[in-house]
Amino acid sequence: MEKRVTSFNKQEEMSQLNQRQFEMQSRTLKRKFRTSDEELEDIPVSSIELSIIRAEQTLKPSWESKAQFDSREMWMDTSDQKREGFRNYMEKLEIGVIQACRALRERSDCKSLRRKAEEKARQQKEFRELCARRAPMFWVPLRAHCVWERMSVNLTCTIMGNPKPTVQWIKNGVPIDLRSSPPGKYRILDEYGMLTLEIRRCTLEDSADYSVVVTNDFGQATSFANVLVKSKMNKFYFTNVFTEYQGLKSGWDSVSYPSLLPVYEGEFTSLLKPVFTREKEPFIMSCVVSSNIERHVQSIQWYRDGLLLKESQRRKMAINGCDLSLNVAPAFKEDEGLYTVQIPSSSGHQEQSAYVFVRDAKPEKYGVPGAPLCVRCYDINRDSVMLAWTPPSDDRGSHVIGYYVEKCDISIHQWTPCNEVPTKICRLPVSGLTEGNTYQFRVRAVNQAGISLPSKASQPVTMMDPAEKDRLIVIPYDEQRAITVSRDDLQESVKMPLPPTNVHASEIHEDYIVLCWDEPDPHGKESLFYYVEQAISGTNNWQRIMLETTLNSPRCSLFHLDKNKSYCFRVRSANKFGVSSPSDPSEPISPKATLAIPPAPGHIIAFRDTNKSAVVQWQMVEDDPDILGYYLYSRLSGEEEWQTVNNKPLKGTRFTVPELQTGKQYEFCVRAVNEAGLSERSPPSEPITISEAIYCPTAPYGFALLCCGKDEMTISWKAPKFTAGREVLGYFLDQHDSLEVTWQEVNSQPIPKRLCKVPDLTEGHFYEFRAKALNSSGVGKMSEPSDLFKCEEWTMPEPGPPYDVRSTEVRNTSLMLQWEAPIYTGIGPVTGYIIEIREHGSGLDWKRINENIVADTHMRISDLETGKCYELRVLGVNAAGPGLPSLPCDPVVAETKPGTNEIEVGVDEEGLIYLAFENPEPIDSPQFIWSKDYKGAPDLERTEISTDGNRSKLVLTNPSEKDLGTYAVEVPNTDGISASHILTEKELADLLRRSHDIKHPLIQLISGWNKEVLENGDVRLWLQVEKLSPDAELEMIFNNKVIENTPERKITFDKENGLIEIIKEDFGEEDRGTYTAKLQDGKASNQFTVTLTGEDFDKLQDESNSKCKAWKKKKGPHFVKQLQWKVTEECHVIITCKVTNTKKETTLTWSLNKKLLPDVLFDDQSGDSKLVIKKFTSEQKGQYNAVVKDTRGEDSSDLDLTKEGFEDIMKEICRISALSASPLKCQGTLEGIKIYSDVKCFMESMNPVWYHKDKKLSSTERVKSGSTVNQVWLHITSPTESDKGQYTLELFDGKDIHKRTLDLSGKVFEAALAEHQKLKEAAIIEKNRAKVVRGLPDLATIMEDKTLCLTCHISGDPTPEVSWVKNDKNVVFKDRYKLDIKGTVVTMTIEKICAEDSGRYSITVRNKYGSEVGQVTVSVFKHGEEPEELKKSWDKTQKPRSR
């Protein structure tokens, strides 16, 4: 038992020892090669947490493990003593290993920490640099400067940007290059973001726009400023230059863009189309790209004729998302040319080009030529310049005979002529200009019709000495500095100038000579001017010329020289000290034409390009080195007038003419251009029909597998998209086994159809196919390979795919879809089809259209959205269900193309019913494929099809119900041209009727039987038919009896006008019945009947009898104008009539309600009679009658003015009166203010309405309205401030309302109120004034010794004073004279009156408001006498009776 225990303990000790050694070795190796950081990186968070949990469990053992440990503790004690020595050794060894590993780990940790610190610092540095990166910007921009000549100027600015930007200084759009600039002229510095451009010793040429462009990877910034150099020598130069740099502008701009801009991957999605515009009108060129291009704006460039375009005041370039545009406003002929836009791409750039045509502006006068173009200046001097220009292309039928040149001084902006006589060539020297001034020039062309519009102005040019630069000497010194010195300053003082040298002619022409010479050397410090002398060659008679002009430049333009003479010239120089001796004479010079009109180009060839363009090519003119270009002209064949194609000369000899009419024939010609003018027109090209050029077809596409057996496949494909209008004659098919390298031909002869069964294939192999098409031009390109098809026999029950799915008759909301039945039908026949649709490019699932399957192989698709692009496909259905889908048809846009034609249905001249279709895109030898109900060609036994050019006609030879249905036509090899028409039963019936009418014609009726009664009572029956031939026949029947022409019944037959006429005298009962006219004209016939019975006959007979009586009555006096009325502008009513056929004994009487009217005017010579009623009232209402009679008879005329007639007259008077209303007036009255309007005749029906400030006024005690016969008024009593404002009067004329207004305010109101106050005061005075009211007679007679009492009533406030006067002497009241005043009664008594008391007595009453005198004559007579006054009055009454 002990042995077993001992052996067990030894084995256990050995196992524990081995396990401990293994653990130590593994732990040492682990710590030797891995750092703490590396251990931490490999332990995930979840593993660390799990280790902590396990450690806690180890530190806290459970009670089971504790019990087990106690059971073994006994034998462990005995074994510990034996292992103690070994354990000590191993512990020492382990401690050494651990210490070595710890030291190694510390060193490794230090290195790791150092690497981490360095990496973190590097990342932070890169981050700071990345954050600091930015596009450049100007912290302080440039500012404008104005300096004196020969001073220096510094342009400085401060920029910011990271990385450090590159700097480029620019002057007037041209970069400043220190290598090509004069030494020491410019100094450029860049010191810590401060940029400086130093311009030393400024000259006039340094006046310019300066800008600095700074660029880095993140963007670009620009700052600009003007520099103006003011000259001390010429005060005018500053003014001229200041107009160009007015305001001394400065500023800056910047553009930021990513540093790593990706390559633009978009492409053009629209074509740049040709543009046609006129001068002075704007034009826009635009195109669209597939993706946003705004980030690549710096890479987009526009060119014209190969020259890069920049933005300007007239030219703007815009980019908006995917849209690119170039806007030019206004356009000139100089803007014509080939425009190209370039966009970036991965392979470089993409571009599109289109031509811009700028026609002449609309002329001010018919027939005048177009404006010249390209005015340019050269040989610029102090006081002269040479001009050249290009002649216009369109002379409008009359050759250009010359040109007028105009100049404009920019400082005054006024155009003045330069030449009085038109110059014949396109070149002219202009002299007499002012040095330092800036000019522009323009040209007008002249022909027999007049003067053209002006050309575009030339670029501004400043007059200066061209040799000024050569006189400057630049002396460099001290680090790129320099001193500029003029040669004139270094020359010796020259008083008397030397003569010029090298006198010669720089230009000789028929109209002028430009004379040049070299300035004298030395020149001297003084400014020079020159005198020119001329002499006829061979003589010594020198004459000074151009005395009125001072020549400051070594140039002189001479005009009006004799062409038949030769001249010599010499020049003298002069300064303020004197004139030099003459120079050596020039060589003999004769005016002659050195420029000749170029010959016409030859070999004009035109050939096809597209269906709307043609290419024209011609031979270059080689004899004229000064050729400017060519003008191209076109016209329709048969026309005489040529139309200009281009208005700017073409440099090449080949041009594509766009926007021509398809199918029309054109001719072209060319004219060469130089400064002498335009050549004659070249011979016209051969007429060319505008159509597509002939080329081989493009490649087929859309391969599909229709059926597959063990060793054969049936393949189909789609026809080429472009065939140049030519029929495809066949196809060549190739096959390729995926396991082989080479392609193999399937057929050696062309396959006529797009379907082919490929035999001898290997089962299980994959094959691909390709094809090429053949037309009359040749074999086209090979298509791309198809997809791989596996050769495996089909055994599926469902049908295979339909094929040849195509869309025709595409319109805005519908199209016709057609297809072919599947080749593979599955387990049974195909019973129908399912059609599916989706929007092209949407990526959506296919959507089924038809709820029920379609049995036919066509279907009309409707309810489409206009403008959207669709794809459609078809699935065959049999008893097993839907089969494989077909390939989708080509994407189709639902829209009706412009110029789309429909099938025309009608009847031709021969009575044949036809359906016709005209191809809107004319092509050579077009084909028309007709079908009926989309099931094949129509029955040849029932139809005839003919083609004439681009028109096809289908005739129904035996039209019947069998011909009902849908007729469709397609034009292959075009852009889907097709149409259809449904022939309905109703339409066919109408066509048959029209056909019958043409085959069996009827004489057409224009106007049926008409019945008229002539003036004399005769009855006229007539009808009119279409124009008849001279062989036409007429048969007239009355009550079934043929009647002939008789004097009582005249029958007229006008065949030319188709008129049949019957005139019957004494129309009576014997004429009652039916009239029939039978006509026959060749095959055409017809008959027309009229019945005269019943009421129609009775009315006709009564009218005949009435007119017969009237006719007889007109043989005597009668009315030619019945009684009628009119109202004059004075509102007088005039009733008039007119009689005729009168004699001296003829009488005319008027009556109103059977009462004779006097005062009627009658002129027996003219027969006119009238009654004037000045005031028309209800008394004039009634029945008016006029009777004219004599021995020959009588006639009467009536006029009813009782109801409607009376009302009409009143309305007319009302209308005229309302129109006659005067503007409102106002006047002050005693009671207030009166506002009124004068009218000619007021009527109550005018219904006057008054408004004050748009408020209707009603009559009150204070405001009253009323009217008189000639006035409408409004009276305001006691006016106040509230009565101010605008007053309106409305008058109604029976139809319209007329308004009159018055603004009662301001001076108008004050004047009326003042007048009212004045009248009011006068009324008060009049009321209170002393007056003799009544009582005194004019004459008082009394007998002597009687008592006379003269009593009168007086009034006045205050009580007036009373005095009596007798014969201008005051009466003294005493004795017999007594005065008694009681209130208002005054009595004067004379007792015992005697003859002495006779006389004229006057009573005078007076108070502070006035006085009044009352007079009476007193006559005293004696007893027994009769007063004289009574005798006189008695005689006056008795004298009339005595007569």
Side-chain angles (χ1 to χ4, degrees):
M1 186 69 180
E2 292 180 356
K3 291 181 179 180
R4 293 179 61 185
V5 171
T6 302
S7 62
F8 175 78
N9 291 336
K10 288 182 179 180
Q11 292 177 0
E12 188 176 14
E13 287 179 3
M14 293 299 293
S15 64
Q16 290 179 356
L17 181 61
N18 295 334
Q19 184 177 0
R20 188 177 183 88
Q21 290 177 353
F22 178 76
E23 290 177 355
M24 185 180 63
Q25 290 175 359
S26 63
R27 189 162 54 247
T28 303
L29 292 173
K30 180 178 180 181
R31 292 177 180 176
K32 181 177 181 181
F33 297 104
R34 295 179 64 84
T35 64
S36 59
D37 291 339
E38 293 170 345
E39 291 177 356
L40 187 61
E41 290 176 357
D42 292 342
I43 300 176
V45 176
S46 59
S47 301
I48 295 173
E49 293 176 353
L50 184 60
S51 301
I52 294 172
I53 294 173
R54 289 178 177 176
E56 291 176 352
Q57 292 177 354
T58 305
L59 295 174
K60 297 179 180 179
S62 61
W63 64 271
E64 289 102 353
S65 60
K66 185 175 182 181
Q68 185 179 2
F69 180 78
D70 292 338
S71 62
R72 295 183 180 180
E73 185 176 0
M74 183 178 296
W75 68 267
M76 286 287 292
D77 292 338
T78 57
S79 63
D80 284 342
Q81 295 176 0
K82 297 178 180 180
R83 293 192 299 267
E84 184 176 356
F86 179 75
R87 184 184 301 145
N88 293 336
Y89 173 76
M90 294 303 297
E91 286 179 355
K92 291 180 181 179
L93 181 62
E94 183 180 4
I95 290 172
V97 172
I98 291 173
Q99 290 177 351
C101 290
R102 182 177 295 140
L104 182 62
R105 179 171 179 174
E106 288 178 356
R107 288 195 299 269
S108 178
D109 286 346
C110 289
K111 292 181 179 179
S112 177
L113 289 174
R114 188 180 297 109
R115 285 195 300 268
K116 285 185 178 182
E118 292 176 354
E119 180 66 19
K120 187 174 181 180
R122 185 186 62 80
Q123 292 178 356
Q124 290 178 351
K125 181 180 179 182
E126 290 181 356
F127 180 74
R128 286 194 301 269
E129 291 179 354
L130 184 62
C131 292
R133 290 187 179 186
R134 58 169 299 161
M137 65 168 289
F138 284 91
W139 189 257
V140 178
L142 295 175
R143 66 180 182 87
H145 289 75
C146 178
V147 298
W148 290 102
E149 192 177 11
R150 297 186 181 181
M151 290 179 61
S152 297
V153 62
N154 290 337
L155 298 177
T156 60
C157 61
T158 304
I159 64 170
M160 297 177 63
N162 190 18
K164 183 178 180 180
T166 59
V167 180
Q168 177 63 62
W169 288 89
I170 298 174
K171 174 184 176 183
N172 285 339
V174 179
I176 297 177
D177 188 359
L178 296 178
R179 294 173 297 179
S180 60
S181 301
K185 181 65 177 178
Y186 300 106
R187 185 184 181 191
I188 298 176
L189 300 177
D190 184 359
E191 299 176 344
Y192 305 103
M194 182 174 180
L195 308 181
T196 303
L197 172 65
E198 181 181 359
I199 308 173
R200 298 171 177 173
R201 292 186 61 83
C202 292
T203 63
L204 298 180
E205 294 180 353
D206 292 323
S207 295
D209 292 327
Y210 290 87
S211 60
V212 57
V213 180
V214 291
T215 309
N216 65 8
D217 294 338
F218 292 89
Q220 185 183 84
T222 304
S223 180
F224 64 91
N226 300 145
V227 173
L228 178 61
V229 180
K230 185 176 179 182
S231 174
K232 298 179 181 179
M233 301 295 295
N234 193 337
K235 63 180 180 180
F236 297 105
Y237 182 81
F238 177 76
T239 304
N240 296 331
V241 175
F242 188 75
T243 59
E244 183 176 358
Y245 302 102
Q246 189 172 5
L248 292 175
K249 299 179 181 179
S250 63
W252 62 278
D253 191 11
S254 63
V255 178
S256 299
Y257 50 88
S259 59
L260 299 176
L261 194 64
V263 176
Y264 182 69
E265 298 180 353
E267 60 183 10
F268 289 105
T269 59
S270 69
L271 296 177
L272 203 62
K273 297 182 179 180
V275 175
F276 295 85
T277 185
R278 284 187 180 273
E279 280 190 294
K280 308 299 178 62
E281 295 180 0
F283 73 85
I284 298 176
M285 301 195 73
S286 61
C287 62
V288 182
V289 293
S290 58
S291 61
N292 194 306
I293 199 171
E294 291 183 353
R295 298 175 64 191
H296 301 265
V297 63
Q298 300 294 331
S299 301
I300 300 172
Q301 295 177 330
W302 288 85
Y303 296 86
R304 184 184 67 227
D305 295 331
L307 298 177
L308 180 64
L309 298 179
K310 297 293 184 67
E311 282 202 353
S312 63
Q313 187 176 0
R314 291 192 308 112
R315 189 187 303 118
K316 303 295 181 183
M317 303 171 188
I319 300 173
N320 185 11
C322 299
D323 298 331
L324 309 177
S325 63
L326 173 67
N327 190 348
V328 179
F332 294 96
K333 289 192 287 188
E334 288 81 354
D335 296 315
E336 183 173 294
L338 182 65
Y339 283 74
T340 302
V341 57
Q342 285 187 358
I343 63 173
S345 67
S346 57
S347 61
H349 65 267
Q350 306 175 56
E351 65 180 32
Q352 278 196 15
S353 300
Y355 208 89
V356 173
F357 297 87
V358 183
R359 295 178 292 175
D360 287 297
K362 187 176 181 180
E364 297 177 349
K365 182 180 178 182
Y366 177 79
V368 299
L373 65 155
C374 300
V375 181
R376 51 200 179 275
C377 305
Y378 65 97
D379 195 11
I380 303 170
N381 287 276
R382 291 178 178 175
D383 56 359
S384 64
V385 67
M386 286 295 299
L387 295 181
W389 57 90
T390 302
S393 62
D394 191 2
D395 55 16
R396 295 190 173 95
S398 178
H399 292 291
V400 175
I401 59 177
Y403 302 90
Y404 284 113
V405 178
E406 299 176 352
K407 65 181 178 182
C408 175
D409 190 337
I410 292 182
S411 61
I412 59 176
H413 294 286
Q414 182 177 356
W415 291 96
T416 56
C418 297
N419 56 324
E420 298 179 356
V421 179
T423 178
K424 296 179 181 179
I425 62 174
C426 298
R427 193 181 295 177
L428 182 72
V430 179
S431 57
L433 305 178
T434 304
E435 183 179 0
N437 284 13
T438 303
Y439 295 89
Q440 283 183 299
F441 301 90
R442 68 184 186 186
V443 186
R444 297 174 183 261
V446 186
N447 66 0
Q448 296 295 335
I451 303 175
S452 73
L453 295 172
S455 67
K456 177 187 174 185
S458 67
Q459 293 294 329
V461 292
T462 302
M463 299 297 104
M464 60 178 60
D465 187 0
E468 183 69 25
K469 295 181 180 180
D470 299 335
R471 295 196 184 101
L472 298 179
I473 301 175
V474 179
I475 305 173
Y477 77 98
D478 189 18
E479 296 182 359
Q480 297 184 354
R481 297 184 180 183
I483 299 175
T484 303
V485 181
S486 176
R487 294 181 185 273
D488 296 342
D489 298 335
L490 302 178
Q491 289 185 1
E492 298 179 358
S493 177
V494 177
K495 291 188 176 181
M496 190 63 65
L498 298 176
T501 59
N502 190 23
V503 180
H504 65 282
S506 62
E507 290 194 20
I508 301 175
H509 293 286
E510 186 178 4
D511 296 333
Y512 65 88
I513 292 175
V514 178
L515 199 65
C516 302
W517 56 89
D518 295 338
E519 293 183 340
D521 192 14
H523 180 273
K525 297 182 179 179
E526 305 298 333
S527 58
L528 296 179
F529 53 94
Y530 304 94
Y531 296 109
V532 178
E533 299 175 352
Q534 76 174 18
I536 297 177
S537 179
T539 66
N540 199 25
N541 186 14
W542 293 95
Q543 296 179 352
R544 183 174 294 179
I545 59 176
M546 303 183 67
L547 299 177
E548 71 282 356
T549 305
T550 301
L551 299 176
N552 297 320
S553 301
R555 298 285 189 279
C556 177
S557 303
L558 305 176
F559 294 87
H560 311 300
L561 298 177
D562 192 344
K563 302 175 185 178
N564 300 321
K565 295 181 180 180
S566 180
Y567 297 89
C568 292
F569 301 92
R570 65 183 186 184
V571 184
R572 296 175 185 266
S573 59
N575 60 13
K576 67 179 183 179
F577 297 108
V579 181
S580 72
S581 59
S583 66
D584 295 334
S586 66
E587 295 293 330
I589 303 172
S590 299
K592 59 182 177 179
T594 56
L595 276 176
I597 294 177
H603 301 287
I604 312 301
I605 302 173
F607 46 91
R608 294 178 178 179
D609 182 43
T610 67
N611 61 349
K612 289 187 178 180
S613 64
V615 177
V616 183
Q617 187 172 336
W618 59 92
Q619 187 177 9
M620 182 176 61
V621 176
E622 298 179 353
D623 298 336
D624 192 345
D626 299 325
I627 198 78
L628 297 176
Y630 304 91
Y631 285 130
L632 183 59
Y633 302 85
S634 68
R635 69 181 179 188
L636 290 170
S637 296
E639 294 185 355
E640 294 183 359
E641 186 175 355
W642 290 95
Q643 304 295 331
T644 57
V645 174
N646 62 307
N647 289 281
K648 183 179 178 182
L650 299 170
K651 300 299 182 183
T653 58
R654 181 186 175 98
F655 189 74
T656 301
V657 184
E659 298 301 323
L660 302 176
Q661 300 181 40
T662 305
K664 300 290 186 180
Q665 279 195 340
Y666 282 85
E667 296 177 342
F668 302 92
C669 72
V670 185
R671 301 176 77 176
V673 189
N674 66 3
E675 292 181 352
L678 275 65
S679 70
E680 294 295 328
R681 287 189 175 90
S682 67
S685 65
E686 292 293 329
I688 179 175
T689 302
I690 305 303
S691 182
E692 289 281 356
I694 301 174
Y695 52 82
C696 297
T698 57
Y701 64 101
F703 290 85
L705 178 61
L706 303 182
C707 183
C708 187
K710 291 184 179 181
D711 57 354
E712 63 181 13
M713 291 182 179
T714 303
I715 304 297
S716 71
W717 56 89
K718 294 184 179 181
K721 291 185 177 181
F722 303 100
T723 62
R726 296 294 186 272
E727 179 186 3
V728 175
L729 303 177
Y731 298 90
F732 293 95
L733 184 66
D734 292 351
Q735 68 178 33
H736 175 238
D737 191 334
S738 61
L739 301 178
E740 298 178 358
V741 178
T742 59
W743 287 80
Q744 297 180 3
E745 291 185 354
V746 175
N747 60 303
S748 59
Q749 297 297 324
I751 303 172
K753 296 183 179 180
R754 288 177 283 109
L755 186 71
C756 180
K757 180 181 288 187
V758 183
D760 302 330
L761 302 178
T762 304
E763 185 177 5
H765 285 211
F766 288 89
Y767 292 88
E768 58 183 347
F769 301 90
R770 65 184 186 184
K772 52 187 176 182
L774 170 70
N775 68 1
S776 59
S777 299
V779 180
K781 293 183 179 180
M782 183 67 72
S783 68
E784 295 294 329
S786 68
D787 295 335
L788 289 172
F789 301 125
K790 186 177 182 180
C791 184
E792 185 178 29
E793 185 176 7
W794 284 3
T795 59
M796 55 192 176
E798 296 85 4
Y803 67 100
D804 197 14
V805 181
R806 62 193 185 279
S807 58
T808 58
E809 305 172 30
V810 181
R811 301 297 184 263
N812 285 335
T813 58
S814 65
L815 59 85
M816 175 59 68
L817 190 69
Q818 301 181 57
W819 61 90
E820 297 295 332
I823 301 297
Y824 178 79
T825 58
I827 63 172
V830 176
T831 58
Y833 299 93
I834 296 173
I835 293 88
E836 295 180 340
I837 190 173
R838 71 177 179 185
E839 190 173 344
H840 176 63
S842 63
L844 300 177
D845 294 336
W846 290 92
K847 180 181 178 181
R848 181 171 174 173
I849 296 177
N850 54 325
E851 296 181 0
N852 301 321
I853 61 175
V854 178
D856 296 326
T857 57
H858 63 274
M859 179 181 177
R860 185 168 296 279
I861 312 298
S862 57
D863 299 329
L864 301 178
E865 293 187 32
T866 304
K868 283 194 174 182
C869 187
Y870 295 94
E871 289 180 316
L872 298 103
R873 71 179 185 182
V874 183
L875 295 85
V877 180
N878 63 5
L884 297 176
S886 67
L887 285 179
C889 68
D890 291 338
V892 55
V893 179
E895 65 178 3
T896 304
K897 294 182 180 179
T900 299
N901 291 339
E902 301 295 343
I903 293 178
E904 174 191 353
V905 182
V907 182
D908 61 14
E909 297 177 354
E910 298 179 358
L912 299 176
I913 299 174
Y914 69 88
L915 292 88
F917 182 77
E918 185 171 358
N919 178 19
E921 296 181 4
I923 59 176
D924 296 338
S925 303
Q927 290 181 328
F928 295 86
I929 301 177
W930 289 88
S931 64
K932 185 169 184 287
D933 297 328
Y934 302 99
K935 296 179 180 179
D939 189 355
L940 297 179
E941 295 182 356
R942 304 186 61 83
T943 59
E944 290 183 359
I945 300 176
S946 60
T947 301
D948 182 12
N950 280 284
R951 180 180 174 87
S952 180
K953 183 176 181 182
L954 183 146
V955 177
L956 302 179
T957 56
N958 186 19
S960 66
E961 294 182 355
K962 295 181 180 180
D963 297 311
L964 300 178
T966 302
Y967 289 85
V969 61
E970 293 184 43
V971 185
N973 305 316
T974 60
D975 189 13
I977 295 176
S978 56
S980 66
H981 180 80
I982 301 176
L983 186 62
T984 62
E985 185 176 356
K986 181 179 179 181
E987 184 180 19
L988 180 60
D990 181 65
L991 293 171
L992 289 172
R993 180 185 56 78
R994 291 166 56 190
S995 176
H996 181 270
D997 292 343
I998 294 175
K999 292 180 179 180
H1000 307 88
L1002 293 175
I1003 297 176
Q1004 297 298 320
L1005 179 66
I1006 296 178
S1007 178
W1009 281 108
N1010 295 273
K1011 302 176 283 293
E1012 295 180 4
V1013 179
L1014 302 181
E1015 187 179 8
N1016 60 356
D1018 294 347
V1019 175
R1020 177 175 179 255
L1021 304 176
W1022 65 275
L1023 65 85
Q1024 188 176 11
V1025 296
E1026 61 182 336
K1027 180 180 178 180
L1028 302 175
S1029 68
D1031 299 330
E1033 297 179 357
L1034 169 65
E1035 185 179 18
M1036 185 61 65
I1037 300 174
F1038 174 60
N1039 292 337
N1040 298 325
K1041 293 183 180 179
V1042 177
I1043 58 176
E1044 302 292 340
N1045 183 22
T1046 62
E1048 293 79 14
R1049 184 187 285 117
K1050 298 178 182 178
I1051 300 175
T1052 305
F1053 183 26
D1054 185 357
K1055 301 176 184 179
E1056 180 69 21
N1057 298 314
L1059 185 63
I1060 301 171
E1061 182 182 59
I1062 302 175
I1063 298 178
K1064 180 65 173 67
E1065 297 179 0
D1066 299 330
F1067 190 76
E1069 286 295 330
E1070 66 276 7
D1071 299 309
R1072 185 189 296 269
T1074 302
Y1075 292 82
T1076 302
K1078 287 186 177 182
L1079 292 171
Q1080 185 72 36
D1081 189 7
K1083 293 182 179 181
S1085 63
N1086 211 337
Q1087 66 179 21
F1088 309 97
T1089 301
V1090 61
T1091 301
L1092 299 179
T1093 56
E1095 294 182 0
D1096 293 339
F1097 180 83
D1098 296 338
K1099 290 180 181 179
L1100 194 62
Q1101 187 179 20
D1102 293 341
E1103 185 181 357
S1104 175
N1105 295 333
S1106 175
K1107 286 192 175 182
C1108 185
K1109 293 179 181 179
W1111 175 257
K1112 294 178 181 179
K1113 180 180 68 174
K1114 286 183 179 179
K1115 293 181 180 179
H1118 59 276
F1119 287 92
V1120 292
K1121 290 184 179 179
Q1122 302 296 323
L1123 288 176
Q1124 56 187 3
W1125 60 267
K1126 69 176 181 179
V1127 180
T1128 65
E1129 294 297 327
E1130 290 77 18
C1131 296
H1132 298 165
V1133 178
I1134 301 177
I1135 303 175
T1136 62
C1137 65
K1138 185 174 184 178
V1139 297
T1140 187
N1141 200 16
T1142 60
K1143 298 194 302 185
K1144 290 183 179 181
E1145 60 271 16
T1146 302
T1147 60
L1148 177 65
T1149 58
W1150 290 57
S1151 63
L1152 172 60
N1153 297 329
K1154 298 183 180 180
K1155 293 182 180 179
L1156 293 177
L1157 291 174
D1159 302 329
V1160 177
L1161 303 177
F1162 175 55
D1163 186 356
D1164 56 358
Q1165 297 295 327
S1166 62
D1168 293 326
S1169 179
K1170 66 179 178 180
L1171 173 65
V1172 180
I1173 305 173
K1174 294 186 177 180
K1175 186 175 182 181
F1176 192 81
T1177 62
S1178 58
E1179 296 179 359
Q1180 282 74 37
K1181 183 178 181 181
Q1183 187 76 30
Y1184 286 81
N1185 175 263
V1187 178
V1188 59
K1189 63 181 179 179
D1190 57 17
T1191 57
R1192 296 170 296 169
E1194 66 178 32
D1195 193 11
S1196 63
S1197 177
D1198 295 322
L1199 179 63
D1200 186 5
L1201 296 182
T1202 55
K1203 295 181 180 179
E1204 295 180 357
F1206 180 78
E1207 293 177 357
D1208 292 342
I1209 292 178
M1210 299 303 287
K1211 289 180 180 178
E1212 182 65 14
I1213 295 175
C1214 180
R1215 185 188 69 81
I1216 295 175
S1217 182
L1219 290 174
S1220 68
S1222 66
L1224 289 181
K1225 308 173 185 177
C1226 71
Q1227 66 177 18
T1229 63
L1230 178 62
E1231 294 80 8
I1233 296 176
K1234 178 182 178 182
I1235 302 173
Y1236 64 94
S1237 174
D1238 296 326
V1239 296
K1240 290 186 178 179
C1241 182
F1242 177 75
M1243 309 289 291
E1244 290 296 334
S1245 57
M1246 294 170 64
N1247 190 20
V1249 179
W1250 290 89
Y1251 293 88
H1252 179 219
K1253 298 179 181 178
D1254 299 331
K1255 182 179 179 182
K1256 185 177 180 180
L1257 296 177
S1258 57
S1259 183
T1260 62
E1261 292 184 359
R1262 200 175 73 85
V1263 180
K1264 298 181 181 180
S1265 61
S1267 62
T1268 61
V1269 176
N1270 299 108
Q1271 195 177 85
V1272 182
W1273 52 264
L1274 176 73
H1275 198 275
I1276 304 172
T1277 305
S1278 302
T1280 62
E1281 290 292 329
S1282 62
D1283 295 320
K1284 290 183 178 181
Q1286 180 168 311
Y1287 287 82
T1288 304
L1289 171 62
E1290 290 186 354
L1291 297 175
F1292 181 65
D1293 67 354
K1295 182 179 180 182
D1296 299 323
I1297 293 178
H1298 303 272
K1299 294 184 179 181
R1300 301 292 186 268
T1301 59
L1302 173 68
D1303 187 7
L1304 187 62
S1305 60
K1307 293 182 179 180
V1308 177
F1309 179 80
E1310 293 174 359
L1313 187 62
E1315 186 178 1
H1316 161 64
Q1317 297 292 345
K1318 181 178 179 181
L1319 292 175
K1320 188 175 180 180
E1321 293 175 359
I1324 293 173
I1325 293 173
E1326 182 65 22
K1327 179 179 179 181
N1328 297 327
R1329 181 176 60 84
K1331 294 189 292 289
V1332 178
V1333 181
R1334 66 180 185 275
L1336 287 178
D1338 293 333
L1339 176 64
T1341 59
I1342 191 170
M1343 188 181 295
E1344 288 181 338
D1345 297 329
K1346 298 292 183 179
T1347 299
L1348 175 65
C1349 293
L1350 297 176
T1351 303
C1352 66
H1353 292 264
I1354 65 174
S1355 66
D1357 188 14
T1359 303
E1361 299 177 357
V1362 180
S1363 62
W1364 285 85
V1365 177
K1366 174 188 177 185
N1367 294 333
D1368 300 329
K1369 292 182 180 181
N1370 291 330
V1371 177
V1372 180
F1373 292 97
K1374 64 180 182 177
D1375 298 335
R1376 293 184 301 113
Y1377 289 87
K1378 296 180 180 179
L1379 178 64
D1380 183 21
I1381 301 174
K1382 294 181 179 180
T1384 61
V1385 179
V1386 179
T1387 303
M1388 185 183 70
T1389 304
I1390 304 175
E1391 298 176 348
K1392 295 181 180 182
I1393 194 169
C1394 60
E1396 294 178 354
D1397 296 325
S1398 296
R1400 189 172 185 82
Y1401 289 83
S1402 300
I1403 180 173
T1404 301
V1405 293
R1406 182 181 290 104
N1407 62 8
K1408 65 178 183 178
Y1409 292 109
S1411 62
E1412 189 174 283
V1413 177
Q1415 294 181 347
V1416 61
T1417 301
V1418 177
S1419 177
V1420 181
F1421 60 91
K1422 295 180 179 181
H1423 294 281
E1425 294 182 356
E1426 186 177 2
E1428 294 294 332
E1429 289 77 6
L1430 294 178
K1431 291 182 180 180
K1432 293 180 180 179
S1433 62
W1434 176 259
D1435 293 339
K1436 290 180 181 180
T1437 57
Q1438 292 297 323
K1439 284 181 181 180
R1441 294 183 178 179
S1442 63
R1443 290 180 182 178

